[in-house]
Amino acid sequence: MDHTKILLDENEMPKQWYNILADLPVEPPLNPATNEPMNPADLEPIFAKELIAQEISSKKYIDIPDEIQEIYKLWRPSPLHRAHRLEKVLGTPAKIYYKNESVSPAGSHKPNTAIAQAYYNMKEGTERITTETGAGQWGSALSLCCNYFDIECKVYMVRSSFYQKPYRKSLINLWGANVVPSPSNETQFGRKILEMYPDTTGSLGIAISEAIEEAALNDNTKYALGSVLNHTSLHQTVVGLETQAQFDKTEDYPDIVIGCCGGGSNLAGVSLPYIRDNLAGKTDTRFIAVEPSACPTLTSGEFKYDFGDMAQQTPLLKMYTLGSEFIPPAIHAGGLRYHGASPIISKIVADGIMEATSYHQVEVFDAAVQFARSEGIAPAPESSHAIKCAIDEALKCKKTGEEKTILFNLSGHGHFDMGSYDKYFSGELSND
């Protein structure tokens, strides 16, 4: 039967996260003072110990605690959809599937790691967590999860998104967290940036600096990062592992796996289990990372050690980077406006295992509207980058007659991004 939705039961959920570091080690983070590999103990003032252990673990599979599984069950397993209507509109012989992570309470893939990070902090007695957020998806997810574990949460939201996406801010407040625009007057670094650039639209690099500064100065506070780091990619692998179990119920297997990429956690989540199989010689799947032309980290950045924040408080990470002082234009895909990329994703791209491409803002919204009018779901601007690439690949199949199977991750819905769509329809969106 040609299903539109491929579903799993709760008892078919992954019981472990997959750690690609067992199969593909990456360069370690460096202490910027010594240029030597970072001592894990140096990270304990801002991160929970168990998350630090996962960050450097070489264990191939890490058990998902029952307490996390129980909260996952609020929306996991998420459905795998066959995009029959989009295929028909495109007139393509390709089969297009999308993993629908927009069904989570926060409307995105972000709770997959937010729950884990809040849980491990709770186990260690953390009272407060600070974080950054670009479009608000991560901030709202962490707010939700800190609420479940009775942890106070403070979110520094990139200034442009704070005003572009007011209802993501409302959602953060709804779940009990405090959210302020970044740069803010609440940290020394925020005040410095406002003095230098009073009209700045902000950046994730600035917001990370503010969140780390507050965590470092308060003994009862830890910091949580929603992307980039190895442990966030680890937690997101439930996405790809579920997808593989769902494809087992069909006669298909993806020839191409696509994901949008800012920091890299969504892309890692859907792709790493498939990359595992490629590395083992079992498959020959093609992987594509898609980013905005306004912030082309993988397509135009340098692969080198760099700081993850503008104030240069983080360890040095080996990654593709546009430079830690880069402030991207205020495009509406706020979750993709980051100067660096995950060391794991960067390594995969540098090794030629994954391709990278970029698109301008208007063509991405063209694809989002085409998807919404065929499949009915209003996608987040971030996810729309993956949709644009999937459509392009499907149209290539239309020309060649190939019946390829294409998978992309619908990492979030656009219900809180309708202001962006209004600007698109009025012609106010620029091509970066």
Side-chain angles (χ1 to χ4, degrees), residues 281-408:
K282 297 178 181 178
T283 53
D284 189 26
T285 303
R286 182 178 163 216
F287 303 97
I288 308 175
V290 193
E291 57 187 8
S293 296
C295 193
T297 307
L298 296 171
T299 50
S300 298
E302 293 183 71
F303 185 46
K304 65 178 185 179
Y305 273 102
D306 194 13
F307 291 96
D309 74 313
M310 186 181 281
Q312 301 186 348
Q313 300 173 96
T314 66
L316 291 165
L317 303 175
K318 184 71 176 291
M319 60 183 179
Y320 279 99
T321 177
L322 295 168
S324 60
E325 296 187 356
F326 177 75
I327 299 179
I331 59 169
H332 289 267
L336 305 185
R337 298 173 64 241
Y338 184 59
H339 70 272
S342 153
I344 287 174
I345 293 297
S346 295
K347 169 74 171 173
I348 290 167
V349 171
D351 285 357
I353 298 169
M354 179 181 286
E355 304 165 33
T357 190
S358 67
Y359 292 110
H360 292 289
Q361 181 168 238
V362 174
E363 60 186 330
V364 164
F365 273 85
D366 290 341
V369 171
Q370 188 172 39
F371 179 80
R373 290 179 177 176
S374 55
E375 293 299 309
I377 298 173
E382 292 80 9
S383 302
S384 303
H385 288 71
I387 293 170
K388 167 62 175 168
C389 185
I391 288 173
D392 283 358
E393 291 298 323
L395 291 176
K396 289 178 185 177
C397 290
K398 183 178 181 178
K399 289 183 178 180
T400 64
E402 295 174 284
E403 297 182 3
K404 291 184 178 180
T405 297
I406 300 167
L407 167 66
F408 70 88

Side-chain angles (χ1 to χ4, degrees), residues 157 159 181-185 189-190 193-194 197 200-203 206 210:
M157 187 170 182
R159 180 171 293 272
S182 171
S184 75
N185 282 308
F189 187 70
I193 293 297
L194 285 173
Y197 311 106
T200 182
T201 55
S203 72
I206 295 170
E210 291 203 88

Side-chain angles (χ1 to χ4, degrees), residues 120-231:
Y120 290 120
N121 272 286
M122 177 273 295
K123 295 289 283 185
E124 295 180 22
T126 301
E127 297 176 7
R128 298 178 70 248
I129 293 178
T130 59
T131 195
E132 77 297 321
T133 194
Q137 290 180 334
W138 167 245
S140 57
L142 189 63
S143 175
L144 167 74
C145 300
C146 284
N147 169 68
Y148 283 133
F149 294 115
D150 197 27
I151 299 172
E152 184 182 337
C153 182
K154 173 73 168 291
V155 180
Y156 290 90
M157 187 170 182
V158 174
R159 180 171 293 272
S160 58
S161 291
F162 187 87
Y163 296 109
Q164 285 175 350
K165 306 173 192 297
Y167 296 113
R168 287 241 174 86
K169 178 178 59 178
S170 300
L171 199 59
I172 292 169
N173 290 147
L174 176 65
W175 284 319
N178 178 25
V179 55
V180 297
S182 171
S184 75
N185 282 308
E186 301 195 12
T187 66
Q188 181 179 342
F189 187 70
R191 291 188 292 271
K192 176 183 175 182
I193 293 297
L194 285 173
E195 184 177 339
M196 294 170 60
Y197 311 106
D199 297 324
T200 182
T201 55
S203 72
L204 276 164
I206 295 170
I208 291 169
S209 294
E210 291 203 88
I212 290 177
E213 178 182 322
E214 183 171 345
L217 292 175
N218 293 277
D219 292 339
N220 68 341
T221 305
K222 297 290 186 184
Y223 167 70
L225 185 62
S227 190
V228 180
L229 297 179
N230 300 342
H231 64 267

Side-chain angles (χ1 to χ4, degrees), residues 18-26 54-58 230 344:
Y18 164 60
N19 180 19
I20 197 170
L21 298 184
D23 297 320
L24 190 74
V26 301
Q54 292 178 1
E55 182 71 15
I56 61 175
S57 175
S58 58
N230 300 342
I344 287 174

Side-chain angles (χ1 to χ4, degrees), residues 404-416:
K404 291 184 178 180
T405 297
I406 300 167
L407 167 66
F408 70 88
N409 195 21
L410 182 70
S411 56
H413 65 60
H415 298 173
F416 301 120

